[in-house]
Amino acid sequence: MPLLRLPEPYDFDVSTERFRAFGPDLANLWHEGALHRAVGRRDVRIEAAKGGVRVEPLDAETRRAVRKLLGAEFNLPAFYAWARGEPVLARLTRLLVGFRPPLAPDPFETLVTSITAQQVSLHAAFAIRGRLIQRFGRRVGKAYSFPTAQRLRRASHEEFVALGFSNRKAEYVLGLAAERVDYDALACLPDEEVKARLVAVRGLGEWSADWFLARHLARPRAWPAGDLGLRKAVEAFYPGTGDVRAFGERFEPFQNLSAHYLLVGLRLGAQ
């Protein structure tokens, strides 16, 4: 399999832990020690290798998708240098060295996933997401392609409810699919403008907008303060913090990476 080199440091196992933590993700499927992702009409297999990952098939299209998926755009050396002055993160960056938060390559998928995860556990969200993908996606080898907005515009409210969506979430996803969002233009805007555009869409609040900035656009200062998991992580590592959103200023200008290291650190029992 061809080698795709990634910026160092990089640790495949800890960076892909999310895809094993909450149940199968059919669009990012962990199977027999490798990660599978549909890119176009091809099943791309990604496995650990010295100096990066082995990817089959590897070409310009799959290279872009895999680099995005594996968080190659994060500047870990700069973050680690900054973290040396922050005791909690200094310890977490040593324990989790090479962890690159995975990113969602597709913006529509990112937002639908956020709606799915609103006010439920991640295990429940992954199960509902899996049923959505299986029903409306397209199987490509091991993995499935995530359903497109065009495909979901042809779905019915009743079909969504049958998959486990609440009435309101079904309305939100169908409404988002009907929106003509210019995601390329959105990606060129500053953080606050991105959030303003997103929260104007029914069903997308500040929590969803923050995670879009964090897990799709990889914006350095994204800080999903409304996330219950992040609030628990902050409280575990910094007891008595109080206002979590204001506390994010402590991690300037690396709020996004700080949030991910705190979340994974808590999940892996590093507190």
Side-chain angles (χ1 to χ4, degrees):
M1 292 173 65
L3 175 68
L4 171 61
R5 294 196 176 278
L6 294 172
E8 293 186 353
Y10 179 69
D11 185 294
F12 184 73
D13 287 338
V14 70
S15 297
T16 58
E17 177 267 345
R18 177 178 173 81
F19 301 122
R20 302 184 293 277
F22 307 108
D25 177 353
L26 297 182
N28 303 290
L29 186 65
W30 186 262
H31 179 74
E32 295 182 352
L35 185 63
H36 291 258
R37 169 87 184 182
V39 178
R41 295 184 175 273
R42 295 178 292 172
D43 177 17
V44 179
R45 187 177 190 274
I46 308 160
E47 65 178 40
K50 186 176 181 180
V53 288
R54 296 204 175 275
V55 180
E56 180 64 43
L58 179 61
D59 56 27
E61 181 185 27
T62 62
R63 182 187 303 272
R64 283 193 301 273
V66 172
R67 283 181 58 85
K68 181 77 173 179
L69 181 66
L70 300 184
E73 58 203 86
F74 286 112
N75 187 345
L76 286 193
F79 173 57
Y80 287 176
W82 171 87
R84 286 198 291 269
E86 213 295 323
V88 169
L89 286 169
R91 183 169 64 85
L92 288 178
T93 53
R94 288 194 299 270
L95 291 172
L96 303 174
V97 64
F99 166 55
R100 289 182 174 274
L103 297 169
D106 179 72
F108 178 71
E109 176 183 349
T110 308
L111 294 176
V112 172
T113 298
S114 288
I115 293 171
T116 304
Q118 290 171 5
Q119 298 179 325
V120 297
S121 72
L122 284 175
H123 287 91
F126 267 63
I128 295 170
R129 171 184 156 95
R131 291 194 290 270
L132 174 72
I133 293 169
Q134 194 167 35
R135 174 68 180 83
F136 296 111
R138 182 181 68 248
R139 186 162 190 172
V140 182
K142 295 285 189 301
Y144 284 73
S145 61
F146 194 86
T148 63
Q150 181 180 12
R151 174 67 185 91
L152 293 186
R153 284 196 288 270
R154 302 195 299 270
S156 70
H157 182 96
E158 291 73 24
E159 287 177 300
F160 270 78
V161 172
L163 295 174
F165 283 79
S166 66
N167 283 313
R168 183 165 292 180
K169 286 186 180 181
E171 292 172 4
Y172 291 165
V173 175
L174 289 169
L176 176 64
E179 289 276 344
R180 305 293 179 173
V181 180
D182 187 337
Y183 291 109
D184 290 336
L186 199 63
C188 297
L189 298 174
D191 292 3
E192 290 306 314
E193 184 62 24
V194 172
K195 290 179 67 171
R197 297 283 183 94
L198 290 177
V199 299
V201 178
R202 185 167 181 262
L204 299 179
E206 187 173 36
W207 179 84
S208 297
D210 282 334
W211 276 125
F212 185 85
L213 289 170
R215 285 198 173 136
H216 175 63
L217 296 181
R219 295 292 174 86
R221 292 175 170 84
W223 178 250
D227 186 78
L228 178 60
L230 181 58
R231 293 204 302 268
K232 288 180 177 178
V234 169
E235 180 60 29
F237 288 105
Y238 302 91
T241 294
D243 185 348
V244 172
R245 185 163 294 281
F247 193 69
E249 296 176 7
R250 180 187 183 107
F251 308 115
E252 172 71 24
F254 294 105
Q255 286 92 331
N256 191 353
L257 283 167
S258 297
H260 280 95
Y261 271 72
L262 291 171
L263 284 164
V264 173
L266 181 63
R267 195 155 66 234
L268 299 183
Q271 69 274 27

mmCIF file with all atom_site columns, all heavy atoms in Angstrom, residues 208-219:
data_model
loop_
_atom_site.group_PDB
_atom_site.id
_atom_site.type_symbol
_atom_site.label_atom_id
_atom_site.label_alt_id
_atom_site.label_comp_id
_atom_site.label_asym_id
_atom_site.label_entity_id
_atom_site.label_seq_id
_atom_site.pdbx_PDB_ins_code
_atom_site.Cartn_x
_atom_site.Cartn_y
_atom_site.Cartn_z
_atom_site.occupancy
_atom_site.B_iso_or_equiv
_atom_site.pdbx_formal_charge
_atom_site.auth_seq_id
_atom_site.auth_comp_id
_atom_site.auth_asym_id
_atom_site.auth_atom_id
_atom_site.pdbx_PDB_model_num
ATOM 1   N N   . SER A 1 208 ? -23.705 23.473 17.937 1.00 0.00 ? 208 SER A N   1
ATOM 2   C CA  . SER A 1 208 ? -23.427 22.901 16.611 1.00 0.00 ? 208 SER A CA  1
ATOM 3   C C   . SER A 1 208 ? -22.436 23.762 15.840 1.00 0.00 ? 208 SER A C   1
ATOM 4   O O   . SER A 1 208 ? -21.549 23.239 15.148 1.00 0.00 ? 208 SER A O   1
ATOM 5   C CB  . SER A 1 208 ? -24.727 22.762 15.809 1.00 0.00 ? 208 SER A CB  1
ATOM 6   O OG  . SER A 1 208 ? -25.611 21.864 16.427 1.00 0.00 ? 208 SER A OG  1
ATOM 7   N N   . ALA A 1 209 ? -22.586 25.084 15.945 1.00 0.00 ? 209 ALA A N   1
ATOM 8   C CA  . ALA A 1 209 ? -21.680 25.978 15.234 1.00 0.00 ? 209 ALA A CA  1
ATOM 9   C C   . ALA A 1 209 ? -20.253 25.862 15.767 1.00 0.00 ? 209 ALA A C   1
ATOM 10  O O   . ALA A 1 209 ? -19.279 25.858 14.994 1.00 0.00 ? 209 ALA A O   1
ATOM 11  C CB  . ALA A 1 209 ? -22.181 27.417 15.356 1.00 0.00 ? 209 ALA A CB  1
ATOM 12  N N   . ASP A 1 210 ? -20.111 25.762 17.087 1.00 0.00 ? 210 ASP A N   1
ATOM 13  C CA  . ASP A 1 210 ? -18.772 25.602 17.672 1.00 0.00 ? 210 ASP A CA  1
ATOM 14  C C   . ASP A 1 210 ? -18.112 24.319 17.196 1.00 0.00 ? 210 ASP A C   1
ATOM 15  O O   . ASP A 1 210 ? -16.911 24.304 16.877 1.00 0.00 ? 210 ASP A O   1
ATOM 16  C CB  . ASP A 1 210 ? -18.866 25.597 19.199 1.00 0.00 ? 210 ASP A CB  1
ATOM 17  C CG  . ASP A 1 210 ? -19.024 26.983 19.792 1.00 0.00 ? 210 ASP A CG  1
ATOM 18  O OD1 . ASP A 1 210 ? -18.593 27.963 19.154 1.00 0.00 ? 210 ASP A OD1 1
ATOM 19  O OD2 . ASP A 1 210 ? -19.583 27.097 20.901 1.00 0.00 ? 210 ASP A OD2 1
ATOM 20  N N   . TRP A 1 211 ? -18.874 23.224 17.141 1.00 0.00 ? 211 TRP A N   1
ATOM 21  C CA  . TRP A 1 211 ? -18.286 21.969 16.700 1.00 0.00 ? 211 TRP A CA  1
ATOM 22  C C   . TRP A 1 211 ? -17.979 21.979 15.204 1.00 0.00 ? 211 TRP A C   1
ATOM 23  O O   . TRP A 1 211 ? -17.034 21.332 14.744 1.00 0.00 ? 211 TRP A O   1
ATOM 24  C CB  . TRP A 1 211 ? -19.188 20.778 17.056 1.00 0.00 ? 211 TRP A CB  1
ATOM 25  C CG  . TRP A 1 211 ? -18.986 20.283 18.455 1.00 0.00 ? 211 TRP A CG  1
ATOM 26  C CD1 . TRP A 1 211 ? -19.924 20.123 19.423 1.00 0.00 ? 211 TRP A CD1 1
ATOM 27  C CD2 . TRP A 1 211 ? -17.745 19.867 19.056 1.00 0.00 ? 211 TRP A CD2 1
ATOM 28  N NE1 . TRP A 1 211 ? -19.359 19.653 20.587 1.00 0.00 ? 211 TRP A NE1 1
ATOM 29  C CE2 . TRP A 1 211 ? -18.024 19.484 20.388 1.00 0.00 ? 211 TRP A CE2 1
ATOM 30  C CE3 . TRP A 1 211 ? -16.423 19.801 18.599 1.00 0.00 ? 211 TRP A CE3 1
ATOM 31  C CZ2 . TRP A 1 211 ? -17.036 19.039 21.257 1.00 0.00 ? 211 TRP A CZ2 1
ATOM 32  C CZ3 . TRP A 1 211 ? -15.431 19.350 19.472 1.00 0.00 ? 211 TRP A CZ3 1
ATOM 33  C CH2 . TRP A 1 211 ? -15.743 18.978 20.772 1.00 0.00 ? 211 TRP A CH2 1
ATOM 34  N N   . PHE A 1 212 ? -18.752 22.725 14.423 1.00 0.00 ? 212 PHE A N   1
ATOM 35  C CA  . PHE A 1 212 ? -18.432 22.877 13.001 1.00 0.00 ? 212 PHE A CA  1
ATOM 36  C C   . PHE A 1 212 ? -17.082 23.569 12.841 1.00 0.00 ? 212 PHE A C   1
ATOM 37  O O   . PHE A 1 212 ? -16.241 23.145 12.035 1.00 0.00 ? 212 PHE A O   1
ATOM 38  C CB  . PHE A 1 212 ? -19.535 23.687 12.312 1.00 0.00 ? 212 PHE A CB  1
ATOM 39  C CG  . PHE A 1 212 ? -19.372 23.813 10.825 1.00 0.00 ? 212 PHE A CG  1
ATOM 40  C CD1 . PHE A 1 212 ? -19.845 22.825 9.975  1.00 0.00 ? 212 PHE A CD1 1
ATOM 41  C CD2 . PHE A 1 212 ? -18.758 24.926 10.268 1.00 0.00 ? 212 PHE A CD2 1
ATOM 42  C CE1 . PHE A 1 212 ? -19.697 22.935 8.599  1.00 0.00 ? 212 PHE A CE1 1
ATOM 43  C CE2 . PHE A 1 212 ? -18.605 25.046 8.896  1.00 0.00 ? 212 PHE A CE2 1
ATOM 44  C CZ  . PHE A 1 212 ? -19.076 24.053 8.060  1.00 0.00 ? 212 PHE A CZ  1
ATOM 45  N N   . LEU A 1 213 ? -16.873 24.620 13.621 1.00 0.00 ? 213 LEU A N   1
ATOM 46  C CA  . LEU A 1 213 ? -15.577 25.306 13.597 1.00 0.00 ? 213 LEU A CA  1
ATOM 47  C C   . LEU A 1 213 ? -14.448 24.374 14.040 1.00 0.00 ? 213 LEU A C   1
ATOM 48  O O   . LEU A 1 213 ? -13.349 24.392 13.476 1.00 0.00 ? 213 LEU A O   1
ATOM 49  C CB  . LEU A 1 213 ? -15.609 26.520 14.515 1.00 0.00 ? 213 LEU A CB  1
ATOM 50  C CG  . LEU A 1 213 ? -16.449 27.718 14.077 1.00 0.00 ? 213 LEU A CG  1
ATOM 51  C CD1 . LEU A 1 213 ? -16.565 28.727 15.211 1.00 0.00 ? 213 LEU A CD1 1
ATOM 52  C CD2 . LEU A 1 213 ? -15.861 28.385 12.837 1.00 0.00 ? 213 LEU A CD2 1
ATOM 53  N N   . ALA A 1 214 ? -14.738 23.543 15.043 1.00 0.00 ? 214 ALA A N   1
ATOM 54  C CA  . ALA A 1 214 ? -13.694 22.694 15.623 1.00 0.00 ? 214 ALA A CA  1
ATOM 55  C C   . ALA A 1 214 ? -13.404 21.473 14.773 1.00 0.00 ? 214 ALA A C   1
ATOM 56  O O   . ALA A 1 214 ? -12.236 21.155 14.504 1.00 0.00 ? 214 ALA A O   1
ATOM 57  C CB  . ALA A 1 214 ? -14.112 22.257 17.034 1.00 0.00 ? 214 ALA A CB  1
ATOM 58  N N   . ARG A 1 215 ? -14.459 20.766 14.339 1.00 0.00 ? 215 ARG A N   1
ATOM 59  C CA  . ARG A 1 215 ? -14.269 19.438 13.739 1.00 0.00 ? 215 ARG A CA  1
ATOM 60  C C   . ARG A 1 215 ? -14.383 19.397 12.228 1.00 0.00 ? 215 ARG A C   1
ATOM 61  O O   . ARG A 1 215 ? -14.156 18.355 11.627 1.00 0.00 ? 215 ARG A O   1
ATOM 62  C CB  . ARG A 1 215 ? -15.262 18.449 14.367 1.00 0.00 ? 215 ARG A CB  1
ATOM 63  C CG  . ARG A 1 215 ? -14.857 18.049 15.777 1.00 0.00 ? 215 ARG A CG  1
ATOM 64  C CD  . ARG A 1 215 ? -15.552 16.799 16.220 1.00 0.00 ? 215 ARG A CD  1
ATOM 65  N NE  . ARG A 1 215 ? -15.022 16.339 17.499 1.00 0.00 ? 215 ARG A NE  1
ATOM 66  C CZ  . ARG A 1 215 ? -15.763 15.912 18.509 1.00 0.00 ? 215 ARG A CZ  1
ATOM 67  N NH1 . ARG A 1 215 ? -17.085 15.893 18.383 1.00 0.00 ? 215 ARG A NH1 1
ATOM 68  N NH2 . ARG A 1 215 ? -15.215 15.505 19.628 1.00 0.00 ? 215 ARG A NH2 1
ATOM 69  N N   . HIS A 1 216 ? -14.733 20.522 11.618 1.00 0.00 ? 216 HIS A N   1
ATOM 70  C CA  . HIS A 1 216 ? -14.673 20.560 10.157 1.00 0.00 ? 216 HIS A CA  1
ATOM 71  C C   . HIS A 1 216 ? -13.649 21.590 9.689  1.00 0.00 ? 216 HIS A C   1
ATOM 72  O O   . HIS A 1 216 ? -12.758 21.274 8.907  1.00 0.00 ? 216 HIS A O   1
ATOM 73  C CB  . HIS A 1 216 ? -16.036 20.856 9.544  1.00 0.00 ? 216 HIS A CB  1
ATOM 74  C CG  . HIS A 1 216 ? -15.961 21.015 8.051  1.00 0.00 ? 216 HIS A CG  1
ATOM 75  N ND1 . HIS A 1 216 ? -15.578 19.984 7.213  1.00 0.00 ? 216 HIS A ND1 1
ATOM 76  C CD2 . HIS A 1 216 ? -16.157 22.101 7.237  1.00 0.00 ? 216 HIS A CD2 1
ATOM 77  C CE1 . HIS A 1 216 ? -15.561 20.404 5.963  1.00 0.00 ? 216 HIS A CE1 1
ATOM 78  N NE2 . HIS A 1 216 ? -15.898 21.690 5.947  1.00 0.00 ? 216 HIS A NE2 1
ATOM 79  N N   . LEU A 1 217 ? -13.762 22.813 10.191 1.00 0.00 ? 217 LEU A N   1
ATOM 80  C CA  . LEU A 1 217 ? -12.854 23.866 9.738  1.00 0.00 ? 217 LEU A CA  1
ATOM 81  C C   . LEU A 1 217 ? -11.532 23.885 10.484 1.00 0.00 ? 217 LEU A C   1
ATOM 82  O O   . LEU A 1 217 ? -10.598 24.567 10.060 1.00 0.00 ? 217 LEU A O   1
ATOM 83  C CB  . LEU A 1 217 ? -13.545 25.229 9.870  1.00 0.00 ? 217 LEU A CB  1
ATOM 84  C CG  . LEU A 1 217 ? -14.781 25.434 8.985  1.00 0.00 ? 217 LEU A CG  1
ATOM 85  C CD1 . LEU A 1 217 ? -15.351 26.829 9.195  1.00 0.00 ? 217 LEU A CD1 1
ATOM 86  C CD2 . LEU A 1 217 ? -14.451 25.205 7.512  1.00 0.00 ? 217 LEU A CD2 1
ATOM 87  N N   . ALA A 1 218 ? -11.435 23.155 11.596 1.00 0.00 ? 218 ALA A N   1
ATOM 88  C CA  . ALA A 1 218 ? -10.188 23.085 12.383 1.00 0.00 ? 218 ALA A CA  1
ATOM 89  C C   . ALA A 1 218 ? -9.703  24.473 12.801 1.00 0.00 ? 218 ALA A C   1
ATOM 90  O O   . ALA A 1 218 ? -8.494  24.732 12.850 1.00 0.00 ? 218 ALA A O   1
ATOM 91  C CB  . ALA A 1 218 ? -9.093  22.351 11.606 1.00 0.00 ? 218 ALA A CB  1
ATOM 92  N N   . ARG A 1 219 ? -10.632 25.354 13.150 1.00 0.00 ? 219 ARG A N   1
ATOM 93  C CA  . ARG A 1 219 ? -10.250 26.695 13.575 1.00 0.00 ? 219 ARG A CA  1
ATOM 94  C C   . ARG A 1 219 ? -9.559  26.618 14.939 1.00 0.00 ? 219 ARG A C   1
ATOM 95  O O   . ARG A 1 219 ? -10.090 26.010 15.883 1.00 0.00 ? 219 ARG A O   1
ATOM 96  C CB  . ARG A 1 219 ? -11.474 27.600 13.645 1.00 0.00 ? 219 ARG A CB  1
ATOM 97  C CG  . ARG A 1 219 ? -12.133 27.840 12.283 1.00 0.00 ? 219 ARG A CG  1
ATOM 98  C CD  . ARG A 1 219 ? -11.263 28.668 11.355 1.00 0.00 ? 219 ARG A CD  1
ATOM 99  N NE  . ARG A 1 219 ? -11.803 28.792 10.021 1.00 0.00 ? 219 ARG A NE  1
ATOM 100 C CZ  . ARG A 1 219 ? -12.698 29.724 9.644  1.00 0.00 ? 219 ARG A CZ  1
ATOM 101 N NH1 . ARG A 1 219 ? -13.162 30.602 10.528 1.00 0.00 ? 219 ARG A NH1 1
ATOM 102 N NH2 . ARG A 1 219 ? -13.112 29.766 8.398  1.00 0.00 ? 219 ARG A NH2 1
#
